């Protein structure tokens, strides 16, 4: 089995060596576009996995001593290489993950943006000076690298999520071991190849600095159990996150979990319905509904309920669905057959709960018949029940009515997840209530914008069964470091805290 010609051309363009091919029982990589095999890769063995982690642990001892701006220079070089090869990397994401070209370009831009953020951060790893209660003493809060960081990433953002973690971890002084989704290993090999080239350009020894594991879930299990991995960042399903947390608990390994989301938006009577329609469609059908921030529940005031549904049905009927490589396509394929089958089960359950199901059928796309292309579904629900309270990783939008804002917020919060949420209103009191302590219980609460499309400058993550972790901007960097409180006595006496006397 050879690498496909498309894969070979992309790797040649970005000047990253093609990976070794595996045997027929290796890791087969299939494109969601047409279900064709892109290549069969050699998987990392258990022995090689341990060797990668050991190298990262050894390299950490020297990397942590490098000045943070020196570490930032590596990330700067990486960002510039990614910027240079943005179109080629986007083609690879589209080919392997099935995202439309514009979304793939946007994901590559996220890699560039987080590198820019991390470069500035490398000169701003600030601690605190704290007033001491003791004479001629001062308290300091300092931050230090934590150690090798393990990263488990998902197929739907095969480059950006790793960059969120790796760019911050590297400037914080950590080494990184990455296990990407087995569905998108070529994206990982390309991005990691550019990072290694950036390391070499900076005259830095690449051994152990960033390591890559290619294979199935067993490699992720090795990261959770290995004692040298000090932080494990995992993006995926809530079920996967629960298993990761349980496996990390015996060794008290830190976890940064970015898991499921059953995201909702509230539409108030004063909402601009043109804005609602545009934001809803992007949030609900972008990436074929395969984002953790995808809008899955629309909670609409009863007075405008039918008007909103009618607008959405009009748009959904004419959505351009097809080959994501073709200009003008807005909805590409589901990632695989299993995703399609899961979606169909959810549609049947919703209908059984009294929901009125619109669309959701598989459609044929010329030259891509083996791919799973679906017309995104809208389901009118009288109340929130059945599959509506669960996350189905597919383009299903449930629409349910409400009568007052308190009821709408209750519906928003009445799920196990707490990632992203939104409210559409021109009423200041409604907006402020939604973002208050008694409002949305999600990590992201937006006003007059959808649930998808977070910027890297803000900390990204959610509450409840979404995991509670934070990545990307703001002070998310603190997850990759350990905090030390230092007391300095610059006097000749030894007064004790709390006025304790201990004389002898």
């Amino acid at each position: 089995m050879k690498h496909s010609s498309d894969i070979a051309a992309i790797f040649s363009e970005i000047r990253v060596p093609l990976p070794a091919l595996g045997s027929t029982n290796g890791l087969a990589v299939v494109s969601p576009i047409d279900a064709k095999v892109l290549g069969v890769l050699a998987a990392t063995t258990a022995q090689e996995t341990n060797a990668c982690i050991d190298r990262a642990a050894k390299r950490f001892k020297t990397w942590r001593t490098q000045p943070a701006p020196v570490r930032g220079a590596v990330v700067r070089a990486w960002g510039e290489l990614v910027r240079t090869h943005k179109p080629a990397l986007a083609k690879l994401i589209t080919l392997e993950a099935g995202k439309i070209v514009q979304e793939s370009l946007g994901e590559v831009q996220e890699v560039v943006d987080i590198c820019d953020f991390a470069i500035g951060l490398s000169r701003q790893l600030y601690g605190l000076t704290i007033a001491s209660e003791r004479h001629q003493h001062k308290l300091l809060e300092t931050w230090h690298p934590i150690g090798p960081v393990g990263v488990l990433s998902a197929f739907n953002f095969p480059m950006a999520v790793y960059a969120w973690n790796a760019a911050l971890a590297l400037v914080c002084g950590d080494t990184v071991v990455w296990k990407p989704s087995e569905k998108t290993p070529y994206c990982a090999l390309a991005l990691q190849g550019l990072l290694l080239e950036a390391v070499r350009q900076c005259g830095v020894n690449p051994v152990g600095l960033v390591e890559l594991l290619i294979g199935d879930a067993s490699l992720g299990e090795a990261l959770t159990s290995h004692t040298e991995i000090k932080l494990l960042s995992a993006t995926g399903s809530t079920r996967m996150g629960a298993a990761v947390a349980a496996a990390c608990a015996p060794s008290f390994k830190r976890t940064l979990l970015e898991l499921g989301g059953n995201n909702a938006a509230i539409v108030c009577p004063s909402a601009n319905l043109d804005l609602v329609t545009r934001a809803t469609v992007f949030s609900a059908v972008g990436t074929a509904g395969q984002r953790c921030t995808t809008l899955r529940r629309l909670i609409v005031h009863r007075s405008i309920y039918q008007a909103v549904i009618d607008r959405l049905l009009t748009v959904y009927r004419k959505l351009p669905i097809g080959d994501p490589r073709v200009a003008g396509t807005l909805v590409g394929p589901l990632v695989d057959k299993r995703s399609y089958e899961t979606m169909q089960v959810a549609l049947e359950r919703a209908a059984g709960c009294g929901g009125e199901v619109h669309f959701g059928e598989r459609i044929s796309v010329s030259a891509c018949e083996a791919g799973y292309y679906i017309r995104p579904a809208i389901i009118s629900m009288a109340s929130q029940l059945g599959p509506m309270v669960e996350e189905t990783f597919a383009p299903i939008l449930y629409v349910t009515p409400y009568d007052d804002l308190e009821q709408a917020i209750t519906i928003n919060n009445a799920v196990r997840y707490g990632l992203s949420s939104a409210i559409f209103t021109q009423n200041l009191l409604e907006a402020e209530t939604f973002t208050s302590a008694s409002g949305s219980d999600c990590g992201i609460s937006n006003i007059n914008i959808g649930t998808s499309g977070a910027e890297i400058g803000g900390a990204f993550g959610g509450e409840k069964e979404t995991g509670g972790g934070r990545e990307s901007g703001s002070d998310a960097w603190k997850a990759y470091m350990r905090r030390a409180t230092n007391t300095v006595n610059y006097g000749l006496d030894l007064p004790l805290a709390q006025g304790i006397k201990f004389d002898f």
Side-chain angles (χ1 to χ4, degrees), residues 32-33 94 97-103 280-290 294 315-335 343 360-365 368 371-377 394-396:
I33 295 174
T94 294
K99 298 171 82 164
I100 65 171
V101 173
Q102 274 304 121
E103 288 187 315
T280 296
V281 173
F282 170 69
S283 296
V285 311
T287 321
Q290 299 171 120
T294 291
V315 175
Y316 271 50
R317 288 189 184 98
K318 59 184 181 181
L319 278 173
I321 304 167
D323 189 331
R325 297 168 295 187
V326 176
T329 297
L330 292 183
V331 183
L334 293 176
V335 70
M343 178 178 179
E361 71 279 6
R362 186 179 180 186
I363 65 174
S364 178
V365 174
C368 302
Y372 288 88
Y373 294 84
I374 311 298
R375 184 164 298 281
I396 300 176

Short mmCIF file of all heavy atoms in Angstrom, two decimals, residues 32-33 94 97-103 280-290 294 315-335 343 360-365 368 371-377 394-396:
data_model
loop_
_atom_site.label_atom_id
_atom_site.label_comp_id
_atom_site.label_asym_id
_atom_site.label_seq_id
_atom_site.Cartn_x
_atom_site.Cartn_y
_atom_site.Cartn_z
N PRO A 32 -12.78 10.69 4.93
CA PRO A 32 -14.25 10.75 5.01
C PRO A 32 -14.89 11.21 3.70
O PRO A 32 -16.08 10.98 3.49
CB PRO A 32 -14.51 11.77 6.12
CG PRO A 32 -13.21 11.94 6.83
CD PRO A 32 -12.14 11.65 5.84
N ILE A 33 -14.10 11.84 2.83
CA ILE A 33 -14.65 12.40 1.60
C ILE A 33 -15.24 11.31 0.71
O ILE A 33 -16.36 11.42 0.21
CB ILE A 33 -13.57 13.19 0.84
CG1 ILE A 33 -13.15 14.42 1.66
CG2 ILE A 33 -14.08 13.62 -0.54
CD1 ILE A 33 -11.98 15.18 1.05
N THR A 94 -8.65 18.96 5.25
CA THR A 94 -9.85 18.65 4.48
C THR A 94 -9.84 17.20 4.01
O THR A 94 -10.84 16.48 4.10
CB THR A 94 -9.97 19.59 3.27
OG1 THR A 94 -10.20 20.93 3.75
CG2 THR A 94 -11.12 19.20 2.36
N ALA A 97 -9.86 14.91 7.56
CA ALA A 97 -10.94 15.11 8.52
C ALA A 97 -12.27 15.45 7.86
O ALA A 97 -13.32 15.41 8.51
CB ALA A 97 -10.57 16.24 9.50
N GLY A 98 -12.26 15.81 6.57
CA GLY A 98 -13.50 16.09 5.85
C GLY A 98 -14.05 17.49 6.03
O GLY A 98 -15.16 17.77 5.60
N LYS A 99 -13.28 18.39 6.63
CA LYS A 99 -13.77 19.76 6.84
C LYS A 99 -13.72 20.54 5.52
O LYS A 99 -12.85 20.29 4.67
CB LYS A 99 -12.90 20.46 7.88
CG LYS A 99 -12.96 19.81 9.25
CD LYS A 99 -11.94 20.37 10.21
CE LYS A 99 -12.39 21.64 10.86
NZ LYS A 99 -11.58 21.97 12.06
N ILE A 100 -14.65 21.47 5.35
CA ILE A 100 -14.61 22.31 4.16
C ILE A 100 -13.33 23.16 4.19
O ILE A 100 -12.75 23.40 5.25
CB ILE A 100 -15.86 23.19 4.04
CG1 ILE A 100 -15.94 24.20 5.19
CG2 ILE A 100 -17.12 22.35 3.96
CD1 ILE A 100 -17.05 25.24 5.01
N VAL A 101 -12.91 23.62 3.03
CA VAL A 101 -11.61 24.29 2.91
C VAL A 101 -11.51 25.51 3.81
O VAL A 101 -10.49 25.73 4.48
CB VAL A 101 -11.35 24.67 1.45
CG1 VAL A 101 -10.08 25.53 1.35
CG2 VAL A 101 -11.19 23.41 0.59
N GLN A 102 -12.57 26.33 3.85
CA GLN A 102 -12.50 27.55 4.66
C GLN A 102 -12.34 27.24 6.14
O GLN A 102 -11.61 27.93 6.86
CB GLN A 102 -13.74 28.42 4.44
CG GLN A 102 -13.64 29.34 3.26
CD GLN A 102 -12.43 30.26 3.31
OE1 GLN A 102 -11.59 30.25 2.42
NE2 GLN A 102 -12.34 31.06 4.36
N GLU A 103 -13.00 26.19 6.61
CA GLU A 103 -12.83 25.81 8.01
C GLU A 103 -11.43 25.26 8.26
O GLU A 103 -10.84 25.49 9.32
CB GLU A 103 -13.89 24.77 8.41
CG GLU A 103 -15.27 25.35 8.54
CD GLU A 103 -16.27 24.35 9.09
OE1 GLU A 103 -16.27 23.19 8.65
OE2 GLU A 103 -17.04 24.73 9.98
N THR A 280 -27.09 30.64 14.11
CA THR A 280 -27.57 29.29 14.37
C THR A 280 -27.08 28.31 13.31
O THR A 280 -26.59 27.22 13.62
CB THR A 280 -29.10 29.26 14.44
OG1 THR A 280 -29.54 30.04 15.55
CG2 THR A 280 -29.61 27.83 14.59
N VAL A 281 -27.19 28.69 12.05
CA VAL A 281 -26.81 27.78 10.98
C VAL A 281 -25.32 27.47 11.04
O VAL A 281 -24.91 26.30 10.95
CB VAL A 281 -27.20 28.36 9.60
CG1 VAL A 281 -26.65 27.49 8.47
CG2 VAL A 281 -28.71 28.47 9.49
N PHE A 282 -24.49 28.49 11.23
CA PHE A 282 -23.05 28.22 11.33
C PHE A 282 -22.74 27.33 12.52
O PHE A 282 -21.99 26.34 12.41
CB PHE A 282 -22.25 29.52 11.44
CG PHE A 282 -20.79 29.27 11.77
CD1 PHE A 282 -19.95 28.68 10.85
CD2 PHE A 282 -20.29 29.60 13.02
CE1 PHE A 282 -18.62 28.42 11.16
CE2 PHE A 282 -18.96 29.35 13.34
CZ PHE A 282 -18.12 28.76 12.40
N SER A 283 -23.32 27.65 13.68
CA SER A 283 -23.01 26.89 14.88
C SER A 283 -23.55 25.47 14.83
O SER A 283 -22.97 24.56 15.43
CB SER A 283 -23.56 27.61 16.12
OG SER A 283 -22.93 28.85 16.32
N ALA A 284 -24.66 25.27 14.14
CA ALA A 284 -25.30 23.95 14.13
C ALA A 284 -24.78 23.02 13.05
O ALA A 284 -24.75 21.80 13.25
CB ALA A 284 -26.82 24.11 13.99
N VAL A 285 -24.39 23.56 11.89
CA VAL A 285 -24.00 22.67 10.79
C VAL A 285 -22.53 22.77 10.42
O VAL A 285 -22.03 21.95 9.64
CB VAL A 285 -24.86 22.92 9.53
CG1 VAL A 285 -26.33 22.94 9.89
CG2 VAL A 285 -24.46 24.21 8.82
N GLY A 286 -21.81 23.78 10.95
CA GLY A 286 -20.38 23.87 10.67
C GLY A 286 -19.66 22.60 11.09
O GLY A 286 -20.00 21.97 12.10
N THR A 287 -18.67 22.18 10.30
CA THR A 287 -17.92 20.94 10.53
C THR A 287 -18.89 19.74 10.61
O THR A 287 -18.65 18.77 11.31
CB THR A 287 -17.07 21.01 11.82
OG1 THR A 287 -16.49 22.33 11.93
CG2 THR A 287 -15.92 20.01 11.78
N ALA A 288 -20.00 19.85 9.87
CA ALA A 288 -21.03 18.81 9.84
C ALA A 288 -21.48 18.43 11.24
O ALA A 288 -21.75 17.26 11.55
CB ALA A 288 -20.53 17.57 9.08
N GLY A 289 -21.57 19.44 12.11
CA GLY A 289 -22.05 19.20 13.47
C GLY A 289 -21.06 18.46 14.36
O GLY A 289 -21.43 17.98 15.43
N GLN A 290 -19.81 18.39 13.95
CA GLN A 290 -18.82 17.59 14.67
C GLN A 290 -17.81 18.47 15.42
O GLN A 290 -16.60 18.27 15.34
CB GLN A 290 -18.09 16.66 13.69
CG GLN A 290 -19.03 15.68 13.02
CD GLN A 290 -18.39 14.91 11.89
OE1 GLN A 290 -18.31 13.69 11.91
NE2 GLN A 290 -17.90 15.62 10.88
N THR A 294 -20.57 22.73 18.89
CA THR A 294 -21.73 22.76 17.98
C THR A 294 -23.01 23.09 18.74
O THR A 294 -23.25 22.60 19.83
CB THR A 294 -21.88 21.39 17.28
OG1 THR A 294 -20.78 21.21 16.38
CG2 THR A 294 -23.18 21.31 16.50
N VAL A 315 -33.46 27.86 5.13
CA VAL A 315 -32.03 27.81 4.89
C VAL A 315 -31.54 26.37 4.76
O VAL A 315 -30.74 26.04 3.86
CB VAL A 315 -31.27 28.52 6.03
CG1 VAL A 315 -29.75 28.36 5.85
CG2 VAL A 315 -31.63 30.00 6.08
N TYR A 316 -32.01 25.50 5.62
CA TYR A 316 -31.56 24.10 5.61
C TYR A 316 -31.88 23.41 4.28
O TYR A 316 -31.13 22.53 3.83
CB TYR A 316 -32.18 23.32 6.76
CG TYR A 316 -31.39 23.36 8.05
CD1 TYR A 316 -30.94 24.58 8.59
CD2 TYR A 316 -31.10 22.20 8.75
CE1 TYR A 316 -30.22 24.61 9.77
CE2 TYR A 316 -30.38 22.22 9.94
CZ TYR A 316 -29.95 23.43 10.44
OH TYR A 316 -29.24 23.47 11.62
N ARG A 317 -33.01 23.78 3.67
CA ARG A 317 -33.39 23.14 2.40
C ARG A 317 -32.38 23.42 1.29
O ARG A 317 -32.24 22.61 0.36
CB ARG A 317 -34.78 23.64 1.96
CG ARG A 317 -35.93 23.10 2.79
CD ARG A 317 -37.27 23.44 2.17
NE ARG A 317 -38.37 23.01 3.04
CZ ARG A 317 -39.01 23.80 3.88
NH1 ARG A 317 -38.69 25.10 3.95
NH2 ARG A 317 -39.98 23.33 4.64
N LYS A 318 -31.70 24.53 1.37
CA LYS A 318 -30.79 24.90 0.27
C LYS A 318 -29.32 24.88 0.69
O LYS A 318 -28.47 25.42 -0.03
CB LYS A 318 -31.17 26.28 -0.26
CG LYS A 318 -31.12 27.41 0.78
CD LYS A 318 -31.60 28.72 0.18
CE LYS A 318 -31.52 29.85 1.21
NZ LYS A 318 -32.01 31.14 0.66
N LEU A 319 -28.99 24.26 1.80
CA LEU A 319 -27.60 24.20 2.23
C LEU A 319 -26.75 23.46 1.19
O LEU A 319 -27.11 22.36 0.76
CB LEU A 319 -27.48 23.46 3.57
CG LEU A 319 -27.77 24.27 4.84
CD1 LEU A 319 -27.77 23.32 6.04
CD2 LEU A 319 -26.74 25.37 5.03
N PRO A 320 -25.62 24.03 0.78
CA PRO A 320 -24.73 23.33 -0.15
C PRO A 320 -23.97 22.21 0.57
O PRO A 320 -23.09 22.47 1.39
CB PRO A 320 -23.76 24.43 -0.61
CG PRO A 320 -24.35 25.72 -0.14
CD PRO A 320 -25.16 25.38 1.07
N ILE A 321 -24.34 20.97 0.30
CA ILE A 321 -23.75 19.80 0.95
C ILE A 321 -22.99 19.03 -0.12
O ILE A 321 -23.52 18.77 -1.21
CB ILE A 321 -24.85 18.90 1.56
CG1 ILE A 321 -25.70 19.71 2.54
CG2 ILE A 321 -24.24 17.69 2.25
CD1 ILE A 321 -26.99 19.02 2.94
N GLY A 322 -21.74 18.65 0.20
CA GLY A 322 -21.00 17.88 -0.80
C GLY A 322 -19.52 17.79 -0.50
O GLY A 322 -19.08 17.96 0.64
N ASP A 323 -18.77 17.54 -1.55
CA ASP A 323 -17.33 17.38 -1.46
C ASP A 323 -16.73 18.64 -0.82
O ASP A 323 -16.87 19.74 -1.35
CB ASP A 323 -16.77 17.19 -2.87
CG ASP A 323 -15.29 16.81 -2.89
OD1 ASP A 323 -14.56 17.21 -1.96
OD2 ASP A 323 -14.86 16.14 -3.84
N PRO A 324 -16.06 18.50 0.33
CA PRO A 324 -15.55 19.68 1.03
C PRO A 324 -14.43 20.40 0.28
O PRO A 324 -14.10 21.54 0.62
CB PRO A 324 -15.05 19.12 2.36
CG PRO A 324 -14.73 17.69 2.06
CD PRO A 324 -15.76 17.26 1.06
N ARG A 325 -13.88 19.77 -0.72
CA ARG A 325 -12.81 20.41 -1.51
C ARG A 325 -13.36 21.38 -2.55
O ARG A 325 -12.61 22.17 -3.12
CB ARG A 325 -11.98 19.33 -2.21
CG ARG A 325 -11.25 18.39 -1.27
CD ARG A 325 -10.69 17.18 -2.00
NE ARG A 325 -11.76 16.34 -2.54
CZ ARG A 325 -11.56 15.15 -3.11
NH1 ARG A 325 -10.31 14.67 -3.20
NH2 ARG A 325 -12.57 14.44 -3.59
N VAL A 326 -14.65 21.31 -2.80
CA VAL A 326 -15.29 22.13 -3.83
C VAL A 326 -15.70 23.48 -3.26
O VAL A 326 -16.34 23.55 -2.21
CB VAL A 326 -16.51 21.40 -4.41
CG1 VAL A 326 -17.25 22.29 -5.42
CG2 VAL A 326 -16.09 20.09 -5.08
N ALA A 327 -15.35 24.54 -3.96
CA ALA A 327 -15.70 25.89 -3.50
C ALA A 327 -17.22 26.02 -3.40
O ALA A 327 -17.96 25.55 -4.27
CB ALA A 327 -15.15 26.92 -4.48
N GLY A 328 -17.66 26.65 -2.34
CA GLY A 328 -19.08 26.87 -2.13
C GLY A 328 -19.75 25.84 -1.25
O GLY A 328 -20.85 26.08 -0.74
N THR A 329 -19.12 24.69 -1.04
CA THR A 329 -19.67 23.69 -0.14
C THR A 329 -19.62 24.21 1.30
O THR A 329 -18.59 24.72 1.74
CB THR A 329 -18.89 22.36 -0.23
OG1 THR A 329 -19.01 21.84 -1.54
CG2 THR A 329 -19.42 21.34 0.76
N LEU A 330 -20.71 24.06 2.03
CA LEU A 330 -20.74 24.48 3.44
C LEU A 330 -20.82 23.31 4.41
O LEU A 330 -20.46 23.45 5.58
CB LEU A 330 -21.93 25.42 3.69
CG LEU A 330 -21.87 26.79 3.02
CD1 LEU A 330 -23.07 27.63 3.42
CD2 LEU A 330 -20.57 27.52 3.34
N VAL A 331 -21.29 22.16 3.93
CA VAL A 331 -21.40 20.99 4.79
C VAL A 331 -20.74 19.80 4.11
O VAL A 331 -21.17 19.36 3.04
CB VAL A 331 -22.87 20.65 5.11
CG1 VAL A 331 -22.94 19.46 6.06
CG2 VAL A 331 -23.58 21.86 5.71
N GLY A 332 -19.69 19.29 4.73
CA GLY A 332 -19.01 18.12 4.21
C GLY A 332 -19.54 16.85 4.84
O GLY A 332 -20.64 16.83 5.41
N PRO A 333 -18.77 15.78 4.81
CA PRO A 333 -19.25 14.49 5.30
C PRO A 333 -19.08 14.31 6.80
O PRO A 333 -18.27 14.99 7.44
CB PRO A 333 -18.36 13.50 4.55
CG PRO A 333 -17.05 14.24 4.43
CD PRO A 333 -17.43 15.68 4.19
N LEU A 334 -19.85 13.37 7.35
CA LEU A 334 -19.55 12.85 8.68
C LEU A 334 -18.25 12.05 8.57
O LEU A 334 -17.87 11.59 7.50
CB LEU A 334 -20.67 11.96 9.19
CG LEU A 334 -22.00 12.65 9.49
CD1 LEU A 334 -23.04 11.62 9.90
CD2 LEU A 334 -21.84 13.70 10.58
N VAL A 335 -17.60 11.85 9.71
CA VAL A 335 -16.27 11.26 9.66
C VAL A 335 -16.31 9.79 9.27
O VAL A 335 -15.38 9.30 8.63
CB VAL A 335 -15.54 11.45 11.01
CG1 VAL A 335 -16.18 10.61 12.11
CG2 VAL A 335 -14.05 11.16 10.86
N MET A 343 -26.23 8.99 14.52
CA MET A 343 -27.18 10.07 14.21
C MET A 343 -28.56 9.51 13.91
O MET A 343 -29.58 10.04 14.40
CB MET A 343 -26.67 10.88 13.02
CG MET A 343 -27.61 12.00 12.60
SD MET A 343 -26.95 12.97 11.23
CE MET A 343 -28.28 14.14 10.97
N GLY A 360 -32.24 15.09 7.84
CA GLY A 360 -31.42 14.10 8.52
C GLY A 360 -31.09 12.91 7.66
O GLY A 360 -30.43 11.97 8.11
N GLU A 361 -31.52 12.92 6.39
CA GLU A 361 -31.30 11.78 5.52
C GLU A 361 -29.91 11.82 4.87
O GLU A 361 -29.31 12.88 4.71
CB GLU A 361 -32.37 11.73 4.43
CG GLU A 361 -32.27 12.81 3.35
CD GLU A 361 -32.86 14.16 3.74
OE1 GLU A 361 -33.26 14.32 4.92
OE2 GLU A 361 -32.92 15.05 2.86
N ARG A 362 -29.41 10.65 4.48
CA ARG A 362 -28.15 10.58 3.75
C ARG A 362 -28.40 10.96 2.30
O ARG A 362 -29.43 10.61 1.72
CB ARG A 362 -27.60 9.16 3.82
CG ARG A 362 -26.21 9.00 3.21
CD ARG A 362 -25.71 7.58 3.35
NE ARG A 362 -24.38 7.42 2.77
CZ ARG A 362 -23.74 6.26 2.65
NH1 ARG A 362 -24.33 5.15 3.09
NH2 ARG A 362 -22.54 6.20 2.12
N ILE A 363 -27.47 11.71 1.73
CA ILE A 363 -27.61 12.12 0.33
C ILE A 363 -26.42 11.64 -0.47
O ILE A 363 -25.33 11.40 0.07
CB ILE A 363 -27.77 13.65 0.20
CG1 ILE A 363 -26.50 14.37 0.67
CG2 ILE A 363 -28.98 14.15 0.98
CD1 ILE A 363 -26.55 15.87 0.44
N SER A 364 -26.61 11.51 -1.77
CA SER A 364 -25.55 11.04 -2.66
C SER A 364 -24.77 12.22 -3.21
O SER A 364 -25.36 13.23 -3.63
CB SER A 364 -26.16 10.23 -3.81
OG SER A 364 -25.16 9.82 -4.70
N VAL A 365 -23.45 12.10 -3.18
CA VAL A 365 -22.57 13.13 -3.71
C VAL A 365 -21.73 12.51 -4.82
O VAL A 365 -21.05 11.50 -4.59
CB VAL A 365 -21.67 13.72 -2.61
CG1 VAL A 365 -20.65 14.69 -3.21
CG2 VAL A 365 -22.51 14.42 -1.57
N CYS A 368 -18.28 10.71 -4.68
CA CYS A 368 -18.00 10.52 -3.25
C CYS A 368 -19.08 9.65 -2.61
O CYS A 368 -19.41 9.81 -1.43
CB CYS A 368 -17.94 11.87 -2.54
SG CYS A 368 -16.72 13.02 -3.18
N GLY A 371 -18.86 8.16 0.88
CA GLY A 371 -18.81 9.04 2.04
C GLY A 371 -20.19 9.19 2.67
O GLY A 371 -21.22 8.97 2.02
N TYR A 372 -20.22 9.61 3.93
CA TYR A 372 -21.50 9.74 4.64
C TYR A 372 -21.89 11.22 4.71
O TYR A 372 -21.55 11.94 5.65
CB TYR A 372 -21.40 9.11 6.03
CG TYR A 372 -21.36 7.61 5.94
CD1 TYR A 372 -20.16 6.92 5.78
CD2 TYR A 372 -22.54 6.87 5.93
CE1 TYR A 372 -20.13 5.55 5.65
CE2 TYR A 372 -22.53 5.48 5.79
CZ TYR A 372 -21.32 4.83 5.65
OH TYR A 372 -21.30 3.47 5.50
N TYR A 373 -22.61 11.63 3.67
CA TYR A 373 -23.08 13.01 3.55
C TYR A 373 -24.54 13.05 4.02
O TYR A 373 -25.38 12.30 3.54
CB TYR A 373 -22.95 13.50 2.11
CG TYR A 373 -21.51 13.61 1.66
CD1 TYR A 373 -20.82 12.50 1.17
CD2 TYR A 373 -20.83 14.82 1.75
CE1 TYR A 373 -19.50 12.59 0.78
CE2 TYR A 373 -19.50 14.93 1.36
CZ TYR A 373 -18.85 13.80 0.88
OH TYR A 373 -17.52 13.90 0.50
N ILE A 374 -24.83 13.97 4.93
CA ILE A 374 -26.13 14.03 5.59
C ILE A 374 -26.70 15.44 5.48
O ILE A 374 -25.98 16.43 5.65
CB ILE A 374 -26.01 13.67 7.09
CG1 ILE A 374 -25.22 12.38 7.27
CG2 ILE A 374 -27.38 13.59 7.74
CD1 ILE A 374 -25.86 11.17 6.64
N ARG A 375 -27.99 15.52 5.19
CA ARG A 375 -28.64 16.83 5.30
C ARG A 375 -28.89 17.09 6.78
O ARG A 375 -29.56 16.30 7.46
CB ARG A 375 -29.97 16.87 4.55
CG ARG A 375 -30.62 18.27 4.57
CD ARG A 375 -31.72 18.40 3.54
NE ARG A 375 -31.22 18.24 2.18
CZ ARG A 375 -30.58 19.19 1.48
NH1 ARG A 375 -30.35 20.37 2.03
NH2 ARG A 375 -30.17 18.95 0.26
N PRO A 376 -28.31 18.16 7.34
CA PRO A 376 -28.48 18.45 8.76
C PRO A 376 -29.95 18.47 9.17
O PRO A 376 -30.82 18.89 8.40
CB PRO A 376 -27.83 19.83 8.92
CG PRO A 376 -26.78 19.85 7.85
CD PRO A 376 -27.40 19.14 6.69
N ALA A 377 -30.21 17.97 10.37
CA ALA A 377 -31.59 17.79 10.84
C ALA A 377 -32.02 18.89 11.80
O ALA A 377 -31.21 19.41 12.58
CB ALA A 377 -31.73 16.44 11.53
N ALA A 394 -23.20 14.95 15.75
CA ALA A 394 -23.72 14.99 14.39
C ALA A 394 -24.58 16.24 14.25
O ALA A 394 -24.95 16.86 15.25
CB ALA A 394 -24.54 13.73 14.10
N PRO A 395 -24.93 16.63 13.01
CA PRO A 395 -25.69 17.88 12.81
C PRO A 395 -27.19 17.73 13.09
O PRO A 395 -28.01 17.66 12.19
CB PRO A 395 -25.42 18.21 11.34
CG PRO A 395 -25.23 16.87 10.71
CD PRO A 395 -24.53 16.03 11.73
N ILE A 396 -27.53 17.67 14.38
CA ILE A 396 -28.93 17.62 14.82
C ILE A 396 -29.18 18.85 15.68
O ILE A 396 -28.49 19.07 16.67
CB ILE A 396 -29.23 16.36 15.64
CG1 ILE A 396 -28.96 15.10 14.82
CG2 ILE A 396 -30.68 16.38 16.11
CD1 ILE A 396 -29.14 13.81 15.61
#
